[in-house]
Each structure stands twice: as C-alpha cells, then as structure tokens.
Amino acid sequence: MTARAGLAALLLAAALPAAAQSAYRWVDEQGRVQYSDQPPPQSIKKFEERKVQPNRGDALEAFENRKAAGSFPVTLYTGKDCGKPCDDGRALLKKRGIPFSETTIETAEQVAEFKKRFGTEPYVPALVVGRKIESGLAEGLWHSLLDDAGYKAKR
C-alpha cells in the first residue's frame, strides 16, 4: 500500500464515526434502565436500538434561540405596502432561524396602539426584541439587537 493510499484509508476510517451510530436502551437484572453505545450483555434479550446522528450544531442553535425567545420575544412589524424592506427583514429573521411573530399595521387603531406602546410613529419594518425596538431595516443594527438578546446565527 502506498503512503497516499494509506493516508486515504486513514482519513476514511476517521470519517466513519461521523455516520449514524447505534444507541442501546435496556433494563438490567436489577431493574435499572441502562443506556450505551455498546450492545447489552447477551443475557438481556429485550432492548431498543436506535440510530443516532452526530450533532451538527443546529440543535444547539435552535435550543439557544428558543431560550432567548422566552426572555426576549421577537416581533416583526410590517405594513401592507411595505414591500421589499419587509420581505428582506422577514428573510433575515428566517435565515438566522429566529422564532418570531409578525404584526401588520393596517388600521388607524393599530397605528395608535403602536404609538402608545413604543412612543413613536410606526416606521416599518420595525423589529422588536424584548422591549427594544429598531425601526427601519438596518441589518447591522438588527443583528446586534438579536445578538445582544442571546440569539445565535445559523452557521
């Protein structure tokens, strides 16, 4: 085997653990639930085997974003004629994997409610993260607001 072929085989072997692996669950003779990446002893006849994928980081980002959403919920305020800026703001939040609600300001009552709540005229799109608001689409400011609240960007 050449050095190059040996290196290729070594790299392939190193990549194999990244594929799906098995996880086992069974109840031992003392009635305790056991988990392992190794099959149970042969004396155990009933067990569960599951194929698991290695964590790619997406699950951690999603968890951290749900955690941030509990303390700092995100609302995107849009207008019925907002067009591209609102579409771009919505796309930014979706690309980052941010859970958010969207409110469209259409009526005079909704404008008055916005003014009462935030003390300012609605200028859409507006991003509200917790109690902080950023009016108008300024991507850098929106990212900073989300980062400060603990939201993680998708990699």
Side-chain angles (χ1 to χ4, degrees):
M1 178 184 299
T2 68
R4 186 175 240 173
L7 179 61
L10 181 63
L11 290 174
L12 180 60
L16 287 177
Q21 297 176 342
S22 293
Y24 300 90
R25 178 189 181 278
W26 71 92
V27 178
D28 69 14
E29 291 83 5
Q30 288 79 34
R32 296 178 300 213
V33 176
Q34 302 289 326
Y35 297 93
S36 178
D37 60 348
Q38 301 296 315
Q42 289 189 357
S43 61
I44 304 296
K45 301 299 180 207
K46 186 177 178 183
F47 62 90
E48 296 175 30
E49 178 182 5
R50 293 191 180 165
K51 297 292 182 186
V52 293
Q53 295 290 333
N55 188 349
R56 299 174 311 189
D58 295 348
L60 179 60
E61 289 164 7
F63 169 77
E64 289 175 340
N65 285 345
R66 283 193 308 273
K67 184 177 168 187
S71 300
F72 305 100
V74 175
T75 303
L76 174 64
Y77 284 89
T78 59
K80 61 183 176 181
D81 298 321
C82 181
K84 184 167 173 32
C86 288
D87 292 341
D88 290 348
R90 192 178 301 109
L92 180 149
L93 293 173
K94 288 180 180 179
K95 183 177 179 183
R96 279 194 63 159
I98 305 296
F100 69 97
S101 61
E102 184 172 338
T103 300
T104 303
I105 300 173
E106 296 179 307
T107 66
E109 291 84 17
Q110 290 170 319
V111 169
E113 179 61 32
F114 188 95
K115 281 187 199 179
K116 180 179 176 185
R117 181 170 180 204
F118 299 109
T120 184
E121 290 286 331
Y123 182 77
V124 294
L127 180 68
V128 177
V129 180
R131 294 182 178 202
K132 295 182 179 181
I133 183 170
E134 187 60 49
S135 293
L137 179 60
E139 289 189 21
L141 294 174
W142 282 30
H143 284 297
S144 292
L145 200 58
L146 294 164
D147 293 343
D148 291 348
Y151 286 96
K152 302 298 179 196
K154 283 188 174 181
R155 295 176 192 159

